[in-house]
Amino acid sequence: MNTTIMTQAAQDPAASGGFLTDLADWAVGLMEVIGAPGAGLAIALENLFPPLPSEVILPLAGFTASRGSFTLFEALFWTTLGSILGAVALYWVGRALGRERTRWLFAKLPLVDVNDVDKVESWFDRHGAKAVFFGRMIPIFRSLISIPAGVTAMPQWKFIGLTSLGSLIWNSIFVLAGFYLGESWHLVEEYVGVFQKIVIVAVVLYLAFFVFNKIRKARAKRAAHVSPE
């Protein structure tokens, strides 16, 4: 890859915001040094460190492929492989923790009932396949979903299969967008950014409701144990 691509990515109007510029330079630098495997390495790291946005790295990989530095197939293959490797690493973090350690850790947290943890595990046992597959297409959760899969000891072959399929769909959308948008690849990040904010707001509202409900139940339980004067 030539340095023209790095310059164009860094000078893009949408990339002038500091972090995005640095990320574009870093990702392009990886691809410049080791080619398509660099895109795969960047996505593997994105799975381990969710603040690295795949919606920037993937379109940039597609844009780079459109310049002829490597083929579109290579971009899709290596980014999907990177997604799988990153997800498997987090899966084994969950396996290392296991059910008992996880229950012990959550039991130490305020407002968390171990019974709630058991309910979540039971839900994951029933719907884990859907959670892993669709979770690969939701910002932030696409990384975190690997941990409960490991905690509940989902068969590794099943986890890898679902992760591969979900990641291939997600990666294809963004790599192809970057490939066909060319130098306007950054437009993808703007639209996905809106979706990501909606997801974050929904999670915050859910957590607020969870905390409120727990406090309400705790107060009701205390009131029920107070003897009338």
Side-chain angles (χ1 to χ4, degrees), residues 1 7 12 22 44 50 66 77 80 82 84 88 112 121 134 137 151 169 202 210:
M1 181 190 309
T7 303
D12 193 285
D22 294 340
S66 73
F77 173 81
T80 301
I84 295 169
V88 168
V112 175
E121 288 185 359
F134 290 107
M137 293 173 266
V151 169
I169 294 172
F210 174 81

Side-chain angles (χ1 to χ4, degrees), residues 1-2 5 31-32 35-36 61 63-71 74:
M1 181 190 309
N2 56 51
I5 297 176
M31 290 182 248
E32 185 175 47
F63 166 58
T64 306
S66 73
R67 302 285 297 191
S69 298
F70 42 78
T71 67
E74 288 177 306

Side-chain angles (χ1 to χ4, degrees), residues 12-44:
D12 193 285
S16 60
F19 174 71
L20 185 55
T21 302
D22 294 340
L23 178 61
D25 284 344
W26 170 75
V28 172
L30 276 177
M31 290 182 248
E32 185 175 47
V33 173
I34 56 179
L41 177 58
I43 289 300

Side-chain angles (χ1 to χ4, degrees), residues 4-5 8 31 46 48 55 64 78 92 106 110-111 125-126 130 132 142 161 185 214 216 229:
T4 302
I5 297 176
Q8 288 172 330
M31 290 182 248
E46 177 267 334
L48 297 173
E55 58 268 25
T64 306
W78 284 103
W92 279 103
F106 276 100
L111 301 177
D125 284 336
R126 295 193 307 272
K130 296 177 184 176
V132 170
R142 61 193 307 270
W185 61 269
K214 283 294 180 182
R216 181 180 62 81
E229 295 181 358

Side-chain angles (χ1 to χ4, degrees), residues 47-48 83-99 102 124 128 132 136 142-163:
N47 275 264
L48 297 173
S83 296
I84 295 169
L85 293 176
V88 168
L90 289 178
Y91 169 89
W92 279 103
V93 169
R95 286 292 291 265
L97 285 173
R99 275 189 167 93
T102 302
F124 198 89
V132 170
R136 300 304 306 168
R142 61 193 307 270
S143 296
L144 300 179
I145 197 64
S146 302
I147 296 177
V151 169
T152 57
M154 172 182 281
Q156 190 172 9
W157 65 266
K158 185 176 182 180
F159 173 77
I160 292 176
L162 292 166
T163 296

Side-chain angles (χ1 to χ4, degrees), residues 164-180:
S164 300
L165 186 56
S167 297
L168 180 60
I169 294 172
W170 174 266
N171 292 359
S172 295
I173 292 171
F174 288 93
V175 171
L176 288 171
F179 185 84
Y180 289 109

Side-chain angles (χ1 to χ4, degrees), residues 193-215:
V194 175
F195 174 63
Q196 182 165 311
K197 288 175 183 176
I198 293 173
V199 172
I200 292 172
V201 169
V203 171
V204 169
L205 290 176
Y206 172 78
L207 291 176
F209 172 77
F210 174 81
V211 172
F212 171 78
N213 194 45
K214 283 294 180 182
I215 293 174

